[in-house]
Amino acid sequence: MTALADRTSSELADVRQLARGFFEKEVVPRREEFAAAGRPSREVYSAAGQLGLLGMSIPEIYGGGGGDFRHEAVLFEEQVRAGDSAMQLGVHSGIVPHYILAYASEENRQRWLPKLCSGDWIGAIAMTEPGTGSDLQGIATRAVRDGDDYVVTGAKTFISNGAHCDLLILAVKTDPSAGARGLSLLVAEVSDATPGFFRGRVLHKIGQKGQDTAELSFDGMRVPAANILGESEGRGFAQLMQQLPQERLICGIAAAAMIETAVQQTVEYTKSRNAFGKTLFDLQNTKFELAECATIGRVVRTFVDDAVAKHLVSELDVTTAAMVKYWTTDRQFEVVDRCLQLFGGYGYMEEYPIARMFVDGRIARIYAGANEVMKDLISRSL
């Protein structure tokens, strides 16, 4: 057991070094380019795939790395520490492939997963609709069976990777009269030439400006019936509930990394900046603020690491995942805000990473289920 732990620790250190180098060399220097375009280039996904950084927890027989969720967690942490918010790797590697691995047919696993792991294809998942946010039972996009196909009609919004995606998991209603049991998940292979599939505008956000968050619409788009996830219709809601804990844990991992990065950078800044004849760090208020923020970071890290350990042995329940998601992202916003204050006017300048953390991280309290919804889920277990 010790040897295995040591080997895994060494592997994770290697992944961390590889990921750090990738973001520093391939992604961060292009931050302004991606922000201006409203999307990252497809080439950075291909580059990540060539390095083996995509699908690290997917079995090797499907083109993945054969690791576990810890390998993915290291990637997400290094992305946050590098200050990149253009690549939506949480969706592409942390969410989409795992729906396919868990519920797709063997033929479709072999067709789709290698292309996602190589970066040849970019993955997205479409749940949110213009009139429906966290209420997944209220979606209106329809999929009607027609021979060997489903015909999909409706609209989705706030879709990460929407402008680039080649593979799209769609939450649809196959039986509108059945409530949650009428929801299914379909996988569509899409391109700009797909009949009935339309990419809308890339949305202008206050943060994550380099990430292609888009509107999508469907007007009679045909999807093979064989692309439904699960053996029959109506399993989508249960599948979402089974997979959402990992999505929410990814939010917690990012929150922990952002808190630690914000504190580290603020300590460095306050120790180098002078005011009133001493460094900012020498002022009691600065010391106390950073002491509190560092303590919050330690508690968040402990909570997240415990949740990761539970997830590795399939013991991360829906309630705990909701606790992780809401509490860590609330603390992230609190700590980043307090650290920004210690930068003074410079904290309000976009050229400083703390300012980008402030706007890039704000969405964490909203996506993957708004934090108010997380509290409601938790209350049901009380």
Side-chain angles (χ1 to χ4, degrees), residues 61-256:
I61 59 171
Y62 301 120
D68 58 40
F69 182 73
R70 289 172 295 179
H71 296 78
E72 307 282 7
V74 166
L75 176 69
F76 304 146
E77 286 180 353
E78 289 306 309
Q79 183 178 18
V80 170
R81 289 179 176 137
D84 172 57
S85 61
M87 298 183 75
Q88 186 34 283
L89 294 172
V91 169
H92 177 83
S93 278
I95 297 173
V96 170
H98 294 277
Y99 278 91
I100 294 169
L101 183 65
Y103 311 119
S105 67
E106 180 61 22
E107 179 181 354
N108 283 336
R109 287 186 197 127
Q110 293 189 21
R111 174 176 174 79
W112 295 328
L113 288 172
K115 294 178 181 178
L116 292 172
C117 293
S118 68
D120 291 340
W121 279 8
I122 296 175
I125 183 166
M127 293 182 273
T128 304
E129 298 185 357
T132 305
S134 298
D135 179 14
L136 295 175
Q137 297 186 50
I139 66 171
T141 299
R142 288 291 315 276
V144 178
R145 184 71 181 262
D146 180 28
D148 292 333
D149 295 331
Y150 283 98
V151 179
V152 179
T153 304
K156 300 289 183 178
T157 194
F158 305 145
I159 306 307
S160 299
N161 297 344
H164 274 323
C165 64
D166 307 279
L167 182 140
L168 179 65
I169 298 176
L170 270 170
V172 297
K173 279 290 182 71
T174 45
D175 184 354
S177 66
R181 295 185 179 182
L183 193 151
S184 302
L185 299 180
L186 293 178
V187 179
E189 300 176 21
V190 297
S191 73
D192 292 344
T194 300
F197 171 70
F198 305 95
R199 303 185 201 266
R201 60 195 176 115
V202 173
L203 300 168
H204 297 285
K205 310 178 294 294
I206 63 171
Q208 299 193 8
K209 294 182 181 294
Q211 210 290 306
D212 54 314
T213 307
E215 297 172 326
L216 304 175
S217 61
F218 317 92
D219 185 8
M221 182 181 75
R222 303 186 78 88
V223 179
N227 288 14
I228 195 167
L229 293 183
E231 298 176 357
S232 62
E233 295 180 1
R235 300 193 176 192
F237 192 78
Q239 292 164 345
L240 289 166
M241 293 304 102
Q242 290 165 5
Q243 293 295 320
L244 279 170
Q246 177 157 311
E247 180 176 352
R248 289 164 181 164
L249 179 55
I250 290 171
C251 293
I253 289 166

Side-chain angles (χ1 to χ4, degrees), residues 156-352:
K156 300 289 183 178
T157 194
F158 305 145
I159 306 307
S160 299
N161 297 344
H164 274 323
C165 64
D166 307 279
L167 182 140
L168 179 65
I169 298 176
L170 270 170
V172 297
K173 279 290 182 71
T174 45
D175 184 354
S177 66
R181 295 185 179 182
L183 193 151
S184 302
L185 299 180
L186 293 178
V187 179
E189 300 176 21
V190 297
S191 73
D192 292 344
T194 300
F197 171 70
F198 305 95
R199 303 185 201 266
R201 60 195 176 115
V202 173
L203 300 168
H204 297 285
K205 310 178 294 294
I206 63 171
Q208 299 193 8
K209 294 182 181 294
Q211 210 290 306
D212 54 314
T213 307
E215 297 172 326
L216 304 175
S217 61
F218 317 92
D219 185 8
M221 182 181 75
R222 303 186 78 88
V223 179
N227 288 14
I228 195 167
L229 293 183
E231 298 176 357
S232 62
E233 295 180 1
R235 300 193 176 192
F237 192 78
Q239 292 164 345
L240 289 166
M241 293 304 102
Q242 290 165 5
Q243 293 295 320
L244 279 170
Q246 177 157 311
E247 180 176 352
R248 289 164 181 164
L249 179 55
I250 290 171
C251 293
I253 289 166
M258 187 172 286
I259 289 171
E260 291 165 351
T261 304
V263 171
Q264 176 189 349
Q265 292 184 1
T266 308
V267 168
E268 292 172 356
Y269 176 81
T270 56
K271 285 185 175 180
S272 66
R273 181 82 173 171
N274 290 314
F276 306 108
K278 58 180 70 175
T279 69
L280 284 177
F281 186 82
D282 288 329
L283 300 175
Q284 186 181 71
N285 179 70
T286 304
K287 291 179 179 178
F288 283 9
E289 281 289 286
L290 287 170
E292 291 181 17
C293 289
T295 303
I296 291 170
R298 182 73 62 85
V299 176
V300 166
R301 171 58 63 187
T302 301
F303 191 14
V304 168
D305 284 352
D306 179 68
V308 170
K310 286 182 168 64
H311 188 50
L312 289 170
V313 293
S314 302
E315 292 180 358
L316 180 63
D317 59 274
V318 171
T319 299
T320 304
M323 290 177 174
V324 170
K325 194 274 174 180
Y326 112 75
W327 194 79
T328 62
T329 57
D330 272 4
R331 300 291 77 73
Q332 168 199 301
F333 183 75
E334 173 192 350
V335 169
V336 171
D337 182 57
R338 292 168 74 173
C339 287
L340 186 153
Q341 185 72 15
L342 293 174
F343 276 78
Y346 291 105
Y348 202 62
M349 300 298 110
E350 287 187 347
E351 65 193 82
Y352 277 74

